[in-house]
Each structure stands twice: as C-alpha cells, then as structure tokens.
Amino acid sequence: MTLLSTTLLAFSMSTDAFAVAIGKGAVLRQPRFREALRTGLIFGVIEGLTPLIGWALGYGASRHIEAWDHWVVFALLLLLGGRMILAGLAAPEPAGEASDPPRRHGGWLLVATAVTTSIDALTVGVGLAFMEVNILVTALAIGLATTLMATLGVMLGRRLGALIGKRAELLGGVVLIGIGTAILQDHMGFW
C-alpha cells in the first residue's frame, strides 16, 4: 500500500469514532481538552489494535486463498463502505429529554463504544493479511488518525452535533469502497 492509501484508510477507519465522539461531546457539559484527549486515546488504542488482531486471523488463511485474495479485500471493503454509507444516510436518532449533562464519560462506556466502532478495523485487518502491507505501520496510522479524529470530534460535538457525524461516516464509506476498487483494479491489471 502506498502512503496515500494508508493515510486514506487510516482516516476512513476513524470516521465511525469521529461520528460517535461528536455525539459524546454533544452530551457533555463544556468538554475540556483533557476529556477529549482521554476519549481519543481510548478510541485510538482500540482502533489501532483491532487491525492487528484481524491481520493475525487473516494471515493464517492467506496461503489458502492467495489466488483470489484481491477479491476478498474488495468484498470486505465494499461491505464495510456500504454499511458506513447506509449509516451515514440513515435518519438521526431523536434527542432525549434535556437533563444536566455530565462532565465526562465513564471509562468502561468509552471502551465498549470504542470496541463497537472498531469492528470494521478488525475486518480490514483480515483483508490486509492478503496484501503486502506493513501491518504495524498501518495499525499505527489507524490508531493515530482515530486518536486525532475522536479528540477533535469530542471538542466539536458541542457545536456541530449529529449533522457532521453522519456526513463523515458517509465520506468514510465512499473512501473505503474507492480503496477496495483501486486494489482490485491494481491486481487485475487495469492500471
């Protein structure tokens, strides 16, 4: 993978966390940078670890499907991108009744939320096992991009709400499908 592909993949993987972080920031009372960074680090570490786990799982299977691995990567990215696009197009959930907003979120709640937003990174990790890619660099890029985007999301959440979160998810899905298409075209010799 090129530096551009790795960067695009990393920021695409961070869009779920960004969208959720905007929601997290929107419900906090005047979130401070420290809380935003705490949220970003939790999301980033988990999002950086899951492609490593997926890669390890996929690497064991890669020898058996080497002839059509590019189709596996394309299908996984197409499915993930499509899911993200559908989520981005879905109607926002109605807001609950106003109450005194908390100053910070519980640690276990953030971890559980980060795990649910990182399932796509696990799947991408499986797909990356079928490619010649430095998984440590890619996982680090995904983790750093997610840390940055989730931190930014919490800070922006109070002002921007769900509007931008949906659009970020939509854009991330389009980028994932684009990366999958480029990988397929490269392996098929269309470039």
Side-chain angles (χ1 to χ4, degrees), residues 2 5 13 16 26 30-31 54 61 67 78 80 82 86-87 91 102 108 119 141 154 157 180 182:
T2 66
S5 294
M13 292 288 87
D16 280 357
Q30 300 300 319
L78 180 67
L80 289 172
L86 290 174
W108 288 112
I119 299 302
V154 170

Side-chain angles (χ1 to χ4, degrees), residues 17-87:
F18 179 67
V20 168
I22 287 174
K24 296 285 185 196
V27 300
L28 290 176
R29 181 169 26 115
Q30 300 300 319
R32 296 180 182 206
F33 180 74
R34 182 176 174 176
E35 177 61 17
L37 183 60
R38 175 178 166 261
T39 301
L41 286 171
I42 290 171
F43 276 71
V45 166
I46 291 173
E47 193 89 15
L49 288 175
T50 53
L52 293 172
I53 296 167
W55 182 85
L57 294 171
Y59 188 74
S62 66
R63 290 170 283 181
H64 304 291
I65 61 170
E66 194 170 325
W68 39 278
D69 58 359
H70 50 282
W71 286 103
V72 172
V73 173
F74 173 72
L76 289 173
L77 291 176
L78 180 67
L79 289 172
L80 289 172
R83 183 187 66 79
M84 289 173 71
I85 288 170
L86 290 174

Side-chain angles (χ1 to χ4, degrees), residues 152-178:
L152 182 62
V154 170
M155 295 307 293
L156 292 175
R158 200 73 165 138
R159 291 186 171 77
L160 301 178
L163 177 65
I164 221 160
K166 289 288 184 185
R167 289 194 173 125
E169 200 163 24
L170 184 66
L171 178 62
V174 170
V175 170
L176 284 183
I177 291 172

